[in-house]
Structures are given as C-alpha cells and as structure tokens.
Amino acid sequence: NLPDMAGEKLFDELQKCTPDTRMILMGKEVNLKNAVAMIRRGANNFISKPLNPDELLEAMNEVNASSKTSIPDKKPKEANAVSKLMSGNCPNVKSLMEQAKRVAQTDFSVIIQGETGTGKESLARYIHSHSKRKNGPFVAVDCGCLSKEIAASEFFGHEKGAFTGAISQKTGFFEQANGGTILLDEIANLSLDIQMALLRALQEKVIRKIGGAKEIPIDVRIIVATNENLLEKSASVNFREDLYFRLCEYTLEVPALRDRVQDIPLFIDFFLEQTSTELGIEKPQISEEVLPYFLEYNWPGNIREMRNVIRRSCLFTDRNNLIQQEELPVRMRNFMQDLHLQEKMSSYQPENVAEDREEAATGLKYIAMKAESKRILEVLEKVRFNK
C-alpha cells in the first residue's frame, strides 16, 4: 500500500537493479497465499505489522546466515579498485605507496591522515592485503556512528542479559577481527571512557564482553583513519595523549586530489569504466570543454566527490555519448566562474592614469571591485566554496 508503487512492483524493481540484495517484506495485511508467492519470487521472508522485535531480529539473522554462503566473493573487484585509486604518477603518491608497502609487512599500528574522500579506507585495505594477515578478516568501524551508550558493546561484545535489550550474546568488532585487521575510522569521535577501554585492550591484548567474567585474547592489527591531526587533538582534553602515542607507530599522509592533478585523468577513466559497467552502457567520454573543470576544480570532497560527479553525469550524456558542461553540478560551474573572474581581475590594468573625474571614477570602481572580489574569494576558500 505504498503511495506511488505497490510493494510487489518495488520488490521486482529492486531485484533487477540489486540482485544480490536480501529482502524481507512486511505488510499490515499478510495472508499465506501472498507470503508464499513473494517468497517464491525471491523474498527471504514475509512478516506482518505491527513488528515484533524478536521476530524481526530472527528473520534478519536467518537472512544474514544464508547470505554468507550465497553472496559471491567480491574481494578481487575491491582489490582492483583499491589498486587503481592508490596508484598514480605523482611523486608524493609514489612515496606514500612505497611507505605503505613497507609498513604492511610489519604489525605496526598505523595512523592514516587525510581529508574526507581521499581514499583512506582504500589505503587501509591495501595495507591489509599486502600484510601477513591478508587471509584474516578486515573489519572497518565508523567511530562517528557509535554513541557513548553502545560503543563498548560494539567494540567488545556483550553477554545475554547484560543490560536491558541484550536478548542474545553479541560478538564485538575486536573479536570479529581476530587474526586480521581492524580499521577505526574517525577515532577522535569516541568518548574519553571508550578511549580508555580501547587503550587497555590494545596494551593487554585482551577484551572482556559487557556482563562477562572471562578475558578473551585478541590478535588484531590496528589502523586508524582520520581527517583531523590527532597529535594536535591529543593536546586538548578531547583525545587521550597516551592513546595517540600507542597508535602512532607509523603515520601516513594521504594527499588531497587537488595536490595530485597529474592523476585526475587516471581517475576519470577508471570511474567512467566502472560506471559504464555498473549501468550496462557504452563507456562515455569527457568533452574537451569539460576537462578543464575536472583539472582546475578544487575537489573539497576529493576522490569520493569525483566518483559521484561522474556517476551522475553518465546518466545524462548527449547523443555523442559525451559528458557536457551542462551535466556538471552547479558548484563546479560556479567555482569555474569565480576562478575566471579572479583571473580576469588580476590581469586587468587601466590603460591610462586617471586624469579627469570620469577616469578617476573608473579607477575607483576597479579598486573597489578588486577588493570586493578578493574578499569574496577569501570567504569562499574558507568555506571550501560551499555557498
């Protein structure tokens, strides 16, 4: 009873575009005939409203268990993507990859610093895949999504009945990553008490589930990804200095996309190829007038932003299968207009010295215009051109 499409129709559309997705249907009115029909068409379960939490959890666990054996392994494809994103012709990237390859052979804890969207997780996966732990699990944790109340349970797990709502035993991230690598993304978002518990686990190499009495040994390699300077952060009261020095056995700096312009054509080609395969279309091309936009834009969202721009633009190519200027996001077009205005202003020189009032007024207008333009650009740069 959806407002714009029947649930069965939505199910069919989802199956076409994401055939690997597992789906549980729910409805206010469920009868045996409808449920059997939908399960035969590929649904994993059909449950009725109002939802019972235990029933929903059980259905999800059943789907998760079946998914582990039925979803094809995507590691080779992921490894290829990581290799592409972490390769390049810029000297700073070549140096970065050489360092990453060397530190991968060790068990050092690694801090990967860089702006949002620069490929920090890709680099972490590269380190894991080139380490002696490559056959072990790789567990990525977004610390920004963990509230103070649930963080300990997510990291270390809990026993059944440990607190209200703990209806079953839970395996935490560290236990899941045992024998492999755990990536802690944006670790600076964790509360101080969780940082303390994390420090103890790293030093003692044991964890204890919430509500449990037994200590569980862990053998996990730690990689931290952050868009903040943790050394500066540790000087404040928001991040423990002892945790920082425990983690910083080696630090890698991932350059922003605007600092590796030589590699932009490589990324463009890679994302065009990837998107055309995903959409099942002929590989589009970038028109000549659009290429300068990609080369001169400051890319505040870095590689992730470029990927999204290309994916979106591939949906609206012209009859020659070219991506034109009109298909680019407004922020990119505005940036180029501002950039060209700045170039125009910097190259403008009054031909003659003002000798009368009219010429003097023109000169004053030019000075005011230049000052205004400079101030606008300063503010735009400060907010990364987010108008």
Side-chain angles (χ1 to χ4, degrees):
N1 297 319
L2 300 175
D4 53 352
M5 183 186 295
E8 293 84 354
K9 176 67 174 173
L10 175 61
F11 174 80
D12 292 338
E13 293 297 321
L14 285 170
Q15 274 204 316
K16 289 178 186 177
C17 62
T18 59
D20 289 339
T21 301
R22 302 300 189 251
M23 285 182 271
I24 299 172
L25 275 69
M26 63 180 180
K28 189 173 182 180
E29 298 176 0
V30 177
N31 59 58
L32 184 60
K33 183 179 178 181
N34 288 343
V36 171
M38 292 307 299
I39 289 173
R40 282 178 177 171
R41 286 162 69 175
N44 290 84
N45 211 325
F46 203 123
I47 54 183
S48 61
K49 295 179 181 179
L51 289 177
N52 178 291
D54 292 339
E55 181 186 4
L56 177 60
L57 196 61
E58 183 180 353
M60 291 169 66
N61 288 334
E62 287 176 0
V63 172
N64 188 42
S66 65
S67 298
K68 290 177 181 176
T69 58
S70 57
I71 292 181
D73 184 15
K74 297 183 179 178
K75 285 185 179 179
K77 186 176 179 182
E78 282 183 1
N80 181 52
V82 170
S83 177
K84 284 280 187 181
L85 294 177
M86 288 293 104
S87 61
N89 300 315
C90 293
N92 53 359
V93 177
K94 290 181 177 180
S95 172
L96 172 70
M97 297 312 296
E98 181 61 33
Q99 293 178 64
K101 190 176 293 186
R102 289 192 179 188
V103 78
Q105 305 302 316
T106 72
D107 259 344
F108 286 6
S109 297
V110 180
I111 296 176
I112 302 176
Q113 293 184 168
E115 293 181 9
T116 298
T118 49
K120 296 187 292 294
E121 182 172 339
S122 294
L123 183 59
R125 290 183 182 275
Y126 177 90
I127 293 172
H128 173 72
S129 65
H130 286 75
S131 72
K132 60 186 178 183
R133 298 173 177 270
K134 61 184 177 182
N135 295 322
F138 179 90
V139 177
V141 182
D142 184 354
C143 298
C145 295
L146 300 178
S147 66
K148 179 180 179 180
E149 291 73 25
I150 68 169
S153 172
E154 293 295 326
F155 278 124
F156 312 121
H158 62 247
E159 298 290 351
K160 182 178 180 179
F163 50 84
T164 303
I167 59 175
S168 61
Q169 186 186 66
K170 179 181 177 63
T171 301
F173 293 135
F174 274 92
E175 203 172 349
Q176 293 174 32
N178 212 6
T181 304
I182 187 168
L183 169 65
L184 303 177
D185 194 9
E186 302 308 338
I187 192 174
N189 291 312
L190 294 176
S191 62
L192 290 172
D193 53 345
I194 297 300
Q195 291 178 32
M196 183 62 210
L198 192 59
L199 176 62
R200 181 184 179 279
L202 298 181
Q203 288 178 337
E204 304 297 329
K205 298 188 184 300
V206 294
I207 60 168
R208 182 180 293 169
K209 292 179 185 285
I210 295 177
K214 184 176 69 172
E215 289 189 332
I216 303 171
I218 55 166
D219 174 26
V220 177
R221 200 246 184 95
I222 308 293
I223 300 179
V224 172
T226 178
N227 59 15
E228 299 184 68
N229 188 314
L230 290 183
L231 179 59
E232 294 178 0
K233 192 87 174 177
S234 66
S236 69
V237 295
N238 297 320
F239 195 78
R240 294 184 63 96
E241 189 177 44
D242 48 2
L243 178 58
Y244 169 76
F245 287 114
R246 173 63 185 79
L247 294 170
C248 74
E249 292 182 313
Y250 203 89
T251 301
L252 295 171
E253 291 278 351
V254 184
L257 186 55
R258 59 184 170 274
D259 296 327
R260 48 187 307 196
V261 178
Q262 290 172 263
D263 296 333
I264 287 179
L266 172 74
F267 295 139
I268 292 174
D269 184 70
F270 173 69
F271 288 131
L272 286 173
E273 185 75 44
Q274 189 183 63
T275 305
S276 64
T277 301
E278 179 186 344
L279 299 178
I281 59 175
E282 182 184 350
K283 181 181 174 181
Q285 297 297 322
I286 301 287
S287 65
E288 289 185 11
E289 68 169 4
V290 165
L291 185 57
Y293 282 72
F294 280 82
L295 297 176
E296 297 178 31
Y297 182 54
N298 68 336
W299 296 110
N302 292 290
I303 297 173
R304 184 184 294 124
E305 182 182 7
M306 177 182 281
R307 176 179 179 270
N308 292 340
V309 167
I310 289 179
R311 282 166 59 86
R312 175 190 179 280
S313 301
C314 282
L315 294 175
F316 302 101
T317 54
D318 65 11
R319 65 179 64 183
N320 297 317
N321 205 28
L322 291 173
I323 295 175
Q324 300 289 358
Q325 176 183 331
E326 294 75 21
E327 311 311 333
L328 298 178
V330 175
R331 63 181 179 276
M332 286 185 71
R333 286 179 278 165
N334 287 344
F335 176 87
M336 291 299 285
Q337 289 176 2
D338 293 336
L339 188 64
H340 291 158
L341 173 63
Q342 184 184 27
E343 291 173 352
K344 187 176 180 180
M345 291 296 299
S346 62
S347 62
Y348 174 75
Q349 295 292 338
E351 293 182 4
N352 300 307
V353 178
E355 295 179 353
D356 54 32
R357 291 182 180 180
E358 186 176 352
E359 288 181 346
T362 303
L364 288 171
K365 286 179 181 178
Y366 163 70
I367 293 170
M369 184 178 176
K370 187 171 183 179
E372 183 180 16
S373 174
K374 181 181 177 183
R375 179 58 183 151
I376 290 172
L377 286 167
E378 285 174 354
V379 175
L380 285 172
E381 288 174 359
K382 186 176 180 180
V383 298
R384 293 186 178 182
F385 289 83
N386 182 349
K387 293 186 179 179

